[in-house]
Amino acid sequence: MPHADYSHFTKNGVQTKAAAYQQLYESLTSLVEDQRNWVCNLANAASLLWHLYHSLPSDISSGGSAVNWAGFYVLDPSAPEKQLILGPFMGKVACQTITLGKGVCGTAAVGRDGSGKAETLLVKDVEAFPGHIACDGDSRSEIVVPMRANEKVVGVIDIDCAELNGFDEEDQRGLEAIADLLGRSCDW
Ligand code: SME
């Protein structure tokens, strides 16, 4: 099928958010099957995520259509101990680098306690997150999910929503599965 068809998330066929994430997971699995280049795979994943959120009916996801940024930050190859660098995304122009331990992305990449143990951060109100970095002033809530390869962090998925409480535990589960798929399907 034409590659653009992967971006069609049918409103009538998808009954739950979990089913929508499953559909995305299956599309992405096909796309990465013969491709391990991380730029290529994250670019298609950003597109799939964007189209997923913007096609979710409001009774399935209240925040979905308000998603204003969907993309990736990866460990900066020129300073992997220090910072993340902007990867493929959909949305407005964003911060180019984020210091590890700073912002939602940098904190998710090393863990809130600074132990180096990456963790998902589901931020229902970005103003309540100390040190949140406002790349896009429209963002009100955010979810950041670490991606790992061979148990080491390689980057994060970052999704922003222009509404408070844009994401829940179902988004977390769906995105963690996608992060796992990307972590093992790309050469980093
Ligand atoms: N809000 C993020 C910065 C990246 S933008 O949302 C795209 C953060 O605090 O790390």
Side-chain angles (χ1 to χ4, degrees), residues 3 6-7 9-10 22 34 44 56 64 75-76 81 86 105 112 117 126 131 140 163 172 174 178 181:
H3 275 67
Y6 285 114
S7 304
F9 293 92
T10 46
Q22 182 61 27
D34 297 314
N44 269 335
L56 284 179
L75 280 186
D76 185 346
E81 306 294 325
L86 183 62
C105 294
R112 268 172 299 195
K117 198 169 173 296
V126 294
R140 291 286 167 271
E163 289 178 4
Q172 177 168 348
I178 293 161
L181 172 62

Side-chain angles (χ1 to χ4, degrees), residues 26-46:
E26 286 166 16
S27 299
L28 191 56
T29 300
S30 303
L31 287 165
V32 302
E33 201 178 344
D34 297 314
Q35 179 57 259
R36 292 194 59 85
N37 180 284
W38 68 265
V39 177
C40 175
N41 288 342
L42 298 194
N44 269 335

Side-chain angles (χ1 to χ4, degrees), residues 10-83:
T10 46
K11 291 193 179 191
N12 297 332
V14 175
Q15 304 294 328
T16 63
K17 198 153 60 171
Y21 276 110
Q22 182 61 27
Q23 191 178 330
L24 189 156
Y25 187 92
E26 286 166 16
S27 299
L28 191 56
T29 300
S30 303
L31 287 165
V32 302
E33 201 178 344
D34 297 314
Q35 179 57 259
R36 292 194 59 85
N37 180 284
W38 68 265
V39 177
C40 175
N41 288 342
L42 298 194
N44 269 335
S47 171
L48 284 175
L49 285 163
W50 180 266
H51 287 287
L52 169 85
Y53 293 119
H54 288 270
S55 63
L56 284 179
S58 56
D59 56 336
I60 290 179
S61 170
S62 57
S65 60
V67 163
N68 59 323
W69 204 90
F72 298 89
Y73 281 86
V74 297
L75 280 186
D76 185 346
S78 71
E81 306 294 325
K82 182 179 159 234
Q83 64 190 23

Side-chain angles (χ1 to χ4, degrees), residues 69 73 94-95 98 102-106 131-135 142 158 160:
W69 204 90
Y73 281 86
C95 318
I98 296 176
K102 302 290 181 193
V104 187
C105 294
H132 165 258
I133 300 165
C135 290
E142 179 164 6
D158 180 19
D160 286 19

Side-chain angles (χ1 to χ4, degrees), residues 90-102:
M90 302 278 278
K92 290 184 186 167
V93 169
C95 318
Q96 290 158 307
T97 59
I98 296 176
T99 303
L100 291 173
K102 302 290 181 193

